[in-house]
Every structure is written in structure tokens, then in C-alpha cells.
């Protein structure tokens, strides 16, 4: 095989890009990878898949990590103000709100104040809920589970304060990934990624999505990836935007499979050791 000097180029430094590089390189042989985004200030895809000296495919890497737990804690908003509520509350939901402080003031506080005025001992989605009421869309859309005042066994809460608990809701299954993929890649969240791939001019345009243990969209996304080992890949083929011809869902969690999707269907990829 002819040797090309570019092959000695090191993979990207950014952890998500290095992880994607490792996974894609493993499954792209005899092709090889070459950096494309050299930090020149231009909007360029991250790297190319090469066949010899010729670039065959553009790869753009993103991660579903924008409002992950690390970012949430970094913003110092573990607790939210719900004045004029008189009690401290614990709210269990499936996803973080986009604008937590505004959401707490405009949506959550009026709802909790109504529960206090009704002397409700909390409300849940379960049949034995201590109080039956309609959950506002701005709360139910986040995967509402329960709202409990001063929950026992927890550290005392300051009156007028909410502590959010974020976790899985319902059961997980790989089939849910197809629906999530369609919404995620076509959303405004991936507008920049789609634009870079379109500008590449490549016939193959790969979007690699790193899904962490605490993703932004929903913890259930990671949960669905974990079930792939038992149930196999999704049964349905998602519809991708025209800018994207190939999709990778790459897990950075040990023993969790990754997935590759093309027009031919899904391929399950063996778990990899995450990049430190």
C-alpha cells in the first residue's frame, strides 16, 4: 500500500472529535482520516475520510451535551427561585429547561403556587398521585414525573426554592432513537453542522453525534443506546436532511454500543473505550 505523509497527522484534541475520529477510523478501512478544520476562522467541517490522496467524505462532529449535568452545575443553578411559593419543592423531570430561571418564574412558580393554595400534598404522573390536576405544557413537555413539597429524606429546602431531579421517564427501546434522530438533525440546533456539510461539496456527508451519559436532549437517548445490545438497532429508517447522507451515534460510556446509519440501514458498532 502506498504511504501518504498526511497519515501521521494526529487526531483532534477536542474529546468529542477524538472519540468520533477513533470510531470512524476503525470502521472506514481501507480509508483513512485527515483533519479539515485547521482553525483558520472559516466554517469548515471537522475532518475528511480519504481514499488515498482523494477526500471521499466530509465529517462534522457535534455532541448532545449543551445542557448536560456538568454545564448545569457550572451555571450554579442547581436550585431555582419560585417566589412567591411558601414551601420548598422538588421537581422530577426528564429534561432540563432551555432557560431555567425564566422557566421557573413564568411557568413553574404559578403552577406550584396553585398546588399550595389547593393544599396539595404533591402531584405525580402515577395513578396513586396525591393530587389530580392538569400539568401545564411547559412542564409536561420536559417529561414531568413529580412535584413534591419538602420531600422527606432530602436536605432541607429553603422556602420558595425548587430543586430539580432529572432522570429517565418510562422504558427505553432502540426504536425511539429513530424519532429522536429525525428531530435532532433537522432542528436549528444542527443548522451550523448541516451548513458545513453542504459547503464541503462531498458526495458523502457524515454527521457524528456524540451522546454522553448525561445528554442535553434527554437521558432516555443514552438509555436507548444502552438497550441496543439486547434489542438490536431501531427497526425504522429515519429521514435525514439532504445535507446529511451518513449518521453516527457515538457513545462515550463504557460497554454502550454506537450506531452508524446510511440509506442501507443501521449498523451496530462495538463499544469503545472512551477518550479521557
Amino acid at each position: 500500500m502506498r504511504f501518504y505523509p498526511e497519515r501521521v497527522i494526529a487526531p483532534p484534541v477536542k474529546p468529542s472529535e477524538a472519540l468520533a475520529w477513533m470510531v470512524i477510523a476503525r470502521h472506514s478501512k481501507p480509508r483513512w482520516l485527515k483533519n479539515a478544520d485547521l482553525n483558520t476562522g472559516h466554517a469548515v467541517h471537522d475532518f475528511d475520510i480519504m481514499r488515498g490522496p482523494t477526500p471521499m467524505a466530509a465529517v462534522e462532529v457535534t455532541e448532545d451535551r449543551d445542557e448536560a449535568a456538568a454545564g448545569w452545575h457550572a451555571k450554579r443553578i442547581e436550585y431555582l427561585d419560585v417566589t412567591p411559593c411558601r414551601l420548598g419543592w422538588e421537581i422530577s423531570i426528564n429534561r432540563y429547561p432551555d432557560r431555567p430561571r425564566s422557566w421557573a418564574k413564568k411557568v413553574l412558580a404559578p403552577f406550584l403556587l396553585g398546588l399550595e393554595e389547593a393544599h396539595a400534598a404533591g402531584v405525580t404522573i402515577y395513578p396513586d398521585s396525591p393530587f389530580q390536576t392538569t400539568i401545564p405544557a411547559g412542564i409536561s413537555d420536559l417529561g414531568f414525573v413529580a412535584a413534591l413539597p419538602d420531600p422527606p429524606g432530602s436536605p432541607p429546602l429553603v422556602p420558595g426554592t425548587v430543586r430539580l431531579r432529572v432522570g429517565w421517564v418510562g422504558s427505553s427501546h432502540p426504536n425511539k432513537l429513530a424519532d429522536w434522530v429525525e428531530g435532532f438533525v433537522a432542528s436549528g440546533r444542527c443548522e451550523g453542522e448541516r451548513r458545513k456539510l453542504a459547503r464541503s461539496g462531498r458526495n458523502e456527508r457524515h454527521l457524528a453525534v456524540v451522546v454522553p451519559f448525561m445528554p442535553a436532549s434527554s437521558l432516555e437517548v443514552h438509555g436507548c443506546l444502552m438497550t441496543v445490545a439486547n434489542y438490536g438497532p431501531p427497526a425504522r429508517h429515519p429521514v435525514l436532511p439532504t445535507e446529511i447522507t451518513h449518521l453516527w451515534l457515538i457513545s462515550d460510556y463504557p460497554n454502550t454500543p454506537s450506531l452508524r446509519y446510511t440509506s442501507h440501514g443501521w449498523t451496530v458498532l462495538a463499544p469503545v473505550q472512551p477518550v479521557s
Side-chain angles (χ1 to χ4, degrees):
M1 180 182 295
R2 184 177 178 183
F3 177 79
Y4 296 99
E6 293 90 342
R7 292 194 183 196
V8 302
I9 295 178
V13 175
K14 186 177 179 181
S16 59
E17 294 177 9
L19 181 66
W21 176 290
M22 178 172 62
V23 172
I24 294 174
R26 177 178 296 180
H27 297 279
S28 295
K29 296 177 180 179
R31 300 180 179 187
W32 58 284
L33 306 184
K34 179 181 178 182
N35 287 316
D37 186 356
L38 302 178
N39 297 318
T40 60
H42 301 289
V44 181
H45 57 279
D46 291 311
F47 46 88
D48 285 305
I49 301 177
M50 311 288 291
R51 184 179 293 277
T54 306
M56 304 296 296
V59 179
E60 175 66 10
V61 181
T62 189
E63 50 187 24
D64 187 25
R65 199 186 296 266
D66 300 325
E67 291 293 340
W72 180 264
H73 291 302
K75 294 178 181 178
R76 302 184 183 277
I77 48 177
E78 293 93 337
Y79 298 89
L80 298 173
D81 180 17
V82 287
T83 304
C85 293
R86 298 180 298 276
L87 302 174
W89 289 81
E90 183 172 280
I91 308 297
S92 296
I93 54 178
N94 189 34
R95 293 177 294 280
Y96 293 110
D98 290 335
R99 297 176 177 82
R101 292 189 179 90
S102 175
W103 172 78
K105 179 179 180 180
K106 296 180 181 179
V107 180
L108 190 57
F111 171 66
L112 297 179
L113 187 60
L115 294 179
E116 290 184 358
E117 292 174 347
H119 303 288
V123 59
T124 73
I125 61 171
Y126 305 110
D128 59 349
S129 175
F131 187 77
Q132 298 292 334
T133 187
T134 300
I135 311 300
I139 299 175
S140 63
D141 289 348
L142 296 174
F144 175 81
V145 178
L148 300 174
D150 295 326
S154 299
L157 287 171
V158 176
T161 300
V162 155
R163 177 174 55 229
L164 292 185
R165 296 289 190 189
V166 180
W168 282 276
V169 175
S171 60
S172 298
H173 192 279
N175 284 341
K176 297 181 181 180
L177 287 171
D179 294 333
W180 178 80
V181 162
E182 283 189 353
F184 183 81
V185 301
S187 68
R189 164 66 181 79
C190 288
E191 183 178 358
E193 286 80 357
R194 295 196 305 270
R195 187 181 305 116
K196 289 181 184 178
L197 290 173
R199 287 176 178 172
S200 73
R202 307 284 189 264
N203 290 331
E204 286 188 21
R205 299 174 298 280
H206 298 234
L207 179 66
V209 183
V210 173
V211 180
F213 177 65
M214 294 289 287
S217 299
S218 166
L219 286 176
E220 193 175 23
V221 176
H222 173 79
C224 290
L225 273 178
M226 292 183 71
T227 64
V228 167
N230 292 326
Y231 297 107
R236 189 171 71 83
H237 290 205
V239 178
L240 302 180
T242 56
E243 301 94 332
I244 302 170
T245 62
H246 295 61
L247 178 81
W248 303 72
L249 294 181
I250 299 173
S251 173
D252 65 350
Y253 195 72
N255 302 317
T256 302
S258 296
L259 290 171
R260 178 179 59 198
Y261 176 74
T262 70
S263 59
H264 300 294
W266 295 93
T267 302
V268 179
L269 310 177
V272 297
Q273 192 66 27
V275 178
S276 300

